[in-house]
Amino acid sequence: MTAAASVLVVDDDEPTRAFVADVLASVGIPARLASSGIEAMQLAADERPSAVLLDISMPGICGYEACYRLRELYGPSLPIVFVTGERVESYDRAAGLLLGADDYLLKPLSQDELLARVRTLIARAEVEAVPFTPREREVINLLGEGLSGREIAERLVIAPSTAAKHIEHVVGKLGVRSRSQAIAKAYRLRLI
């Protein structure tokens, strides 16, 4: 996550906003807080958040409408997670996902689950924003199959030095230091 990017926490319940902000701050993730969908839209228009944690039942603009508007504003690259204690049925969760949410958390929130989901979605969004070439995507998949640089070169019918260069680019774009870290991160982010 970039230093300026923050998670937008939208909930009409002040203790929930404070809890989420404290949890995020404990791992160095900044948060901006909104108590309504209208306030959330204003904050999101001022600065693109790295992710949005969005309650559904709020006065004014509900979470579903805010999700729809955020998707119009930033498209599918913005991670949005519904957080609710009221809309907990499977059909509620399905509706939220169909409206464009990436995930759905139920209250009371688990600190560990909240952090795991937020970190994963932010990291995935950052990686998806990286412009991998089609060849680099092929290399990521072949690394995931456990192929060596020489085997990748043979499979792609390219020189071993070219395969090594592609692997170097993939490692760099994933922000890691080794092939094994690249493979682990690619699996974690579901790139392969």
Side-chain angles (χ1 to χ4, degrees):
M1 185 170 72
T2 61
S6 59
V7 172
L8 179 56
V9 179
V10 188
D11 200 307
D12 60 340
D13 181 58
E14 194 281 326
T16 299
R17 286 193 313 272
F19 170 76
V20 172
D22 288 345
V23 169
L24 295 173
S26 73
V27 295
I29 299 174
R32 288 182 300 148
L33 309 178
S35 61
S36 70
I38 293 168
E39 185 181 0
M41 294 310 303
Q42 292 167 344
L43 290 173
D46 290 343
E47 176 187 318
R48 184 189 193 282
S50 59
V52 179
L53 298 174
L54 185 60
D55 189 19
I56 295 173
S57 301
M58 293 183 293
I61 298 174
C62 72
Y64 290 145
E65 178 67 20
C67 178
Y68 179 79
R69 290 183 185 187
L70 288 164
R71 283 285 174 246
E72 283 186 325
L73 186 61
Y74 289 114
S77 66
L78 176 65
I80 299 175
V81 178
F82 279 127
V83 180
T84 187
E86 296 175 16
R87 301 309 246 344
V88 298
E89 299 298 327
S90 62
Y91 54 82
D92 293 318
R93 293 190 303 272
L97 295 170
L98 288 170
L99 279 168
D102 297 291
D103 211 339
Y104 205 101
L105 289 171
L106 302 180
K107 295 177 183 176
L109 294 169
S110 156
Q111 179 175 333
D112 293 335
E113 183 179 15
L114 172 67
L115 286 175
R117 291 181 190 228
V118 167
R119 284 177 162 166
T120 298
L121 287 170
I122 291 172
R124 186 177 307 141
E126 287 177 348
V127 168
E128 288 171 358
V130 174
F132 287 109
T133 66
R135 181 63 84 183
E136 289 167 346
R137 292 227 178 251
E138 288 178 304
V139 168
I140 291 169
N141 287 320
L142 295 173
L143 284 171
E145 291 178 23
L147 273 59
S148 69
R150 182 165 298 286
E151 291 167 324
I152 290 172
E154 289 172 8
R155 179 83 62 93
L156 298 178
V157 192
I158 58 177
S161 61
T162 303
K165 209 49 153 164
H166 286 305
I167 293 168
E168 180 183 324
H169 289 157
V170 165
V171 167
K173 286 181 177 182
L174 286 172
V176 295
R177 297 181 182 184
S178 69
R179 286 176 46 153
S180 59
Q181 289 175 338
I183 294 166
K185 189 167 187 176
Y187 269 110
R188 193 171 54 250
L189 298 175
R190 297 183 185 140
L191 295 173
I192 49 179

